[in-house]
């Protein structure tokens, strides 16, 4: 069983920065693609960024492109989301997720494992 745990959320002012981390543990037979989703109250859960198992390919939502960077350190079983230039509309619960395959995918149906989420609030 794969387990995921997010950390790094908090309260920041508009224009500020945060780095989220996702630690993977449990039974790991191969390095798989992973991603970050977010969900604000009353809205659908949306993909923010995704990364292939090797870290060689990445996907970003148009709303965060140029501001957020996804990365991973496979020797530490950890994925990161570096967020800069934060806006109030970035406020949401951010979730770490993992697939069963190594190839990058933007489709929520392909993500089988989920963390509990970490709150990010951007407000002055």
């Amino acid at each position: 069983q794969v387990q995921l745990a997010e950390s790094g959320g908090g309260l920041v002012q508009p224009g500020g920065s945060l780095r989220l981390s996702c630690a993977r543990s449990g039974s790991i037979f191969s390095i798989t693609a992973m991603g970050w989703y977010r969900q604000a109250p009353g809205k659908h859960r949306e993909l923010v960024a995704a990364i292939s198992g090797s870290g060689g390919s990445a996907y970003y939502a148009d709303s965060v492109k140029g501001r957020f960077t996804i990365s991973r350190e496979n020797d530490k079983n950890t994925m990161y989301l570096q967020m800069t230039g934060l806006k109030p509309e970035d406020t949401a619960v951010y979730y770490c997720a993992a697939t069963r395959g190594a190839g990058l995918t933007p489709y929520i149906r392909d993500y089988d494992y989920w963390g509990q989420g970490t709150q990010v609030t951007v407000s002055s």
Side-chain angles (χ1 to χ4, degrees):
Q1 185 176 13
V2 175
Q3 297 176 355
L4 304 174
E6 306 95 334
S7 62
L11 173 65
V12 297
Q13 297 185 78
S17 300
L18 281 175
R19 187 168 88 154
L20 306 183
S21 298
C22 174
R24 178 176 175 174
S25 62
S27 298
I28 303 175
F29 302 112
S30 63
I31 303 300
T32 65
M34 300 178 70
W36 289 96
Y37 280 79
R38 68 185 181 187
Q39 188 166 26
K43 302 195 70 176
H44 298 297
R45 187 170 297 189
E46 63 174 346
L47 179 66
V48 176
I51 190 167
S52 62
S54 68
S57 299
Y59 165 89
Y60 296 95
D62 288 341
S63 60
V64 307
K65 195 170 296 183
R67 298 189 296 121
F68 292 8
T69 301
I70 190 170
S71 63
R72 65 193 302 166
E73 294 181 291
N74 287 338
D75 58 343
K76 298 181 179 179
N77 292 318
T78 304
M79 177 180 67
Y80 306 96
L81 184 68
Q82 179 67 52
M83 305 184 293
T84 61
L86 285 163
K87 305 174 181 179
E89 48 263 47
D90 294 318
T91 296
V93 176
Y94 283 70
Y95 296 91
C96 172
T99 72
R100 293 180 182 271
L104 184 153
T105 175
Y107 304 111
I108 194 169
R109 65 178 181 271
D110 292 325
Y111 290 86
D112 297 302
Y113 307 104
W114 295 83
Q116 294 298 308
T118 185
Q119 178 71 47
V120 172
T121 302
V122 185
S123 177
S124 59

